[in-house]
Structure formats: C-alpha cells, structure tokens
Amino acid sequence: MKPEFENIPLVKNEEKNRFEIELNGHFAFIDYKETSQRIALIHTEAEPELAGTGAAAAVVEKTLIYIEESGKKLLPFCPYVFAFIKKNPDWKRIVDEKFEGYDKL
C-alpha cells in the first residue's frame, strides 16, 4: 500500500454494503455480502478522480486486514480482489477453502 493511504481509515458502510476509503472527497470501495462465517467481496471500484493513485489496491488491502481480524473467511468473487490475492499469495490464508477458485489462487 502506498504511504499516502496508510492513515486513511477503512469504513464499513453497512447502509451501502461496501467497504470504503475516502481521499479528497472521492471514494474507492468494495461491495460485499456478509454471513456469520464469511464475507464475499463482489465488486471493487475507484472513482475516476482516483484512477492510477493506488486507491483500489489500498481499499482491498485494508479490507483483507479487516476480514482477517474479524475471524471470517473470504470469498473473493471480485476479479480485482482475486487478482490482488494471486499477486500477494500470503492473503490466501483467509480465503475459504470451499471457494470455487481456491485452487487457482
């Protein structure tokens, strides 16, 4: 994660079912669905003003930290999150082993 994102808090916006970070009034976020045991990450997006800043990667990393600390398992349905875990295989530790693409990570 780029240093400029380290002190930006991750917000779990339960009203919108998304994890988000805000930078200069613009958002990067991940839509999620949650059960008592798992959190499914569905879609990652950064507003156009944040393109190329690393905001999407930062919200993913902060969300993975949150999921790990919550003790839940991850279902990485979002292609961006899936690719992030492939590039950072240490995060496979929080992916639910029953996830269909688990063996491709």
Side-chain angles (χ1 to χ4, degrees):
M1 177 180 335
K2 291 184 176 180
E4 58 264 35
F5 293 104
E6 287 177 6
N7 293 321
I8 294 176
L10 178 72
V11 174
K12 183 180 182 187
N13 185 332
E14 295 185 28
E15 197 173 287
K16 293 185 177 181
N17 284 330
R18 70 186 200 180
F19 292 97
E20 59 191 29
I21 60 172
E22 181 182 355
L23 181 66
N24 300 324
H26 301 289
F27 290 89
F29 61 89
I30 304 175
D31 294 325
Y32 75 90
K33 292 192 182 199
E34 184 174 19
T35 68
S36 60
Q37 310 268 323
R38 295 176 193 85
I39 295 179
L41 300 180
I42 312 297
H43 172 75
T44 303
E45 189 173 326
E47 292 182 0
E49 294 82 359
L50 297 177
T53 64
V59 75
V60 168
E61 191 169 349
K62 286 175 179 283
T63 299
L64 296 180
I65 291 167
Y66 172 88
I67 292 170
E68 183 169 49
E69 289 175 351
S70 77
K72 295 189 178 195
K73 286 296 189 177
L74 167 65
L75 299 171
F77 291 111
C78 169
Y80 187 88
V81 173
F82 189 91
F84 184 93
I85 294 169
K86 252 185 126 146
K87 288 181 197 164
N88 302 277
D90 283 355
W91 282 111
K92 189 174 179 181
R93 69 185 180 266
I94 67 169
V95 176
D96 190 321
E97 292 176 16
K98 295 176 185 149
F99 177 69
E100 191 176 315
Y102 185 83
D103 59 336
K104 294 182 176 78
L105 287 170

